Amino acid sequence: MIVPSMAVQEIHNEVFEDIPNLRNKLTEYREDFRKTVLKASRYPLTKSYACKTKAMKNSFSIDFTAQKRSHWKSPILSIFGMYDRPEGKYAFSVSLDFNLITIYPPHFFQRFRERIAKNMTVSNENLIKDYFKNDWGFIAAVVNKDFESVYHNFEENNTDEKISFVAATSKGYCFGEKQGSVNIIKTIVSEEMLFGYQKHIFSELKHAFREANKDRYGFAV
């Protein structure tokens, strides 16, 4: 179980040690999703499953998505989870292919609430679920002076925060720090918040994100 005293690499190890305990559940959910897709008439279709592992007692949310009927054979799989610390609720997503996890602290979801969701009444848990709905990962670039300037423009009170990459996502643009096999996403800004030269410096990253999704999923986000 993830506990507040764990460092980020310990959380990574905990999650990946627990992944094998999801295998049987993934098979069960995949079969259920196949039946759901074949019965459906409208696409894309996403179905979520909640699972708490018996051995390590970690909670995971597993989303399957089919863009069209034939995708029942190879749905898009997304795995994420949540855990609590004294400062609030955290989330993590899992990238099985790259042995990575991405951690989203409470401050990130505060910014997502204010800047993207614009919903002050939804619970933190449902806000997190909303973020990961139709989340297609991200394409990142190393932070340069231009990106760093944009970050500090929108996060004036976090001048001491370390950031090492900027990323395009389906929800907006994120800034984060890479610590070994863990990405920590610090904040998010929307396309509408950018102006002038800021939009220009993000345009190449946005294009790369769309092209990557075309290659991986067959469509642009």
Side-chain angles (χ1 to χ4, degrees):
M1 178 184 292
I2 297 173
V3 297
S5 60
M6 284 182 173
V8 295
Q9 190 60 50
E10 291 176 313
I11 294 172
H12 171 277
N13 295 343
E14 170 79 11
V15 169
F16 272 90
E17 285 174 14
D18 211 4
I19 289 296
N21 297 318
L22 291 178
R23 299 299 183 190
N24 289 339
K25 283 293 184 182
L26 286 173
T27 301
E28 175 187 327
Y29 299 152
R30 190 181 293 272
E31 175 60 20
D32 178 77
F33 185 69
R34 180 188 71 82
K35 295 176 182 177
T36 301
V37 173
L38 293 178
K39 290 178 182 177
S41 58
R42 299 183 66 181
Y43 306 92
L45 186 152
T46 297
K47 190 169 183 178
S48 300
Y49 302 87
C51 174
K52 187 171 185 177
T53 57
K54 290 182 180 180
M56 301 178 74
K57 301 187 185 306
N58 291 307
S59 296
F60 293 89
S61 291
I62 301 164
D63 289 354
F64 287 96
T65 299
Q67 289 298 118
K68 52 187 178 181
R69 184 182 178 87
S70 63
H71 285 179
W72 68 265
K73 296 179 181 179
S74 54
I76 299 167
L77 173 65
S78 171
I79 302 175
F80 69 94
M82 306 180 206
Y83 62 95
D84 293 301
R85 293 177 64 125
E87 60 270 25
K89 189 171 289 292
Y90 285 69
F92 63 87
S93 62
V94 184
S95 178
L96 297 176
D97 295 343
F98 299 101
N99 191 38
L100 288 170
I101 67 167
T102 300
I103 292 176
Y104 301 79
H107 179 76
F108 171 84
F109 289 109
Q110 177 186 339
R111 293 306 195 206
F112 176 68
R113 182 188 293 274
E114 296 168 352
R115 297 170 174 175
I116 312 296
K118 299 181 181 178
N119 187 333
M120 299 298 117
T121 60
V122 66
S123 69
N124 288 338
E125 185 169 334
N126 285 333
L127 184 78
I128 290 171
K129 290 178 181 178
D130 182 55
Y131 177 79
F132 287 108
K133 185 178 182 180
N134 296 324
D135 172 48
W136 308 111
F138 59 82
I139 290 293
V142 175
V143 164
N144 58 26
K145 290 183 179 179
D146 288 331
F147 287 129
E148 192 170 13
S149 174
V150 174
Y151 172 79
H152 290 303
N153 183 53
F154 292 113
E155 297 290 331
E156 296 176 351
N157 296 326
N158 294 322
T159 54
D160 295 331
E161 280 279 0
K162 292 181 180 179
I163 54 169
S164 55
F165 67 85
V166 58
T169 77
S170 57
K171 312 286 183 170
Y173 299 104
C174 298
F175 294 85
E177 180 186 5
K178 185 171 180 58
Q179 296 186 14
S181 52
V182 180
N183 295 317
I184 303 173
I185 307 295
K186 303 295 183 73
T187 195
I188 186 170
V189 298
S190 68
E191 183 78 28
E192 292 72 25
M193 293 171 65
L194 303 177
F195 60 89
Y197 85 98
Q198 294 178 340
K199 289 187 176 182
H200 174 72
I201 64 173
F202 280 90
S203 61
E204 186 173 341
L205 194 59
K206 185 175 183 179
H207 176 73
F209 175 69
R210 287 177 170 172
E211 291 301 308
N213 278 287
K214 280 183 184 179
D215 293 339
R216 186 174 184 184
Y217 303 122
F219 64 94
V221 177

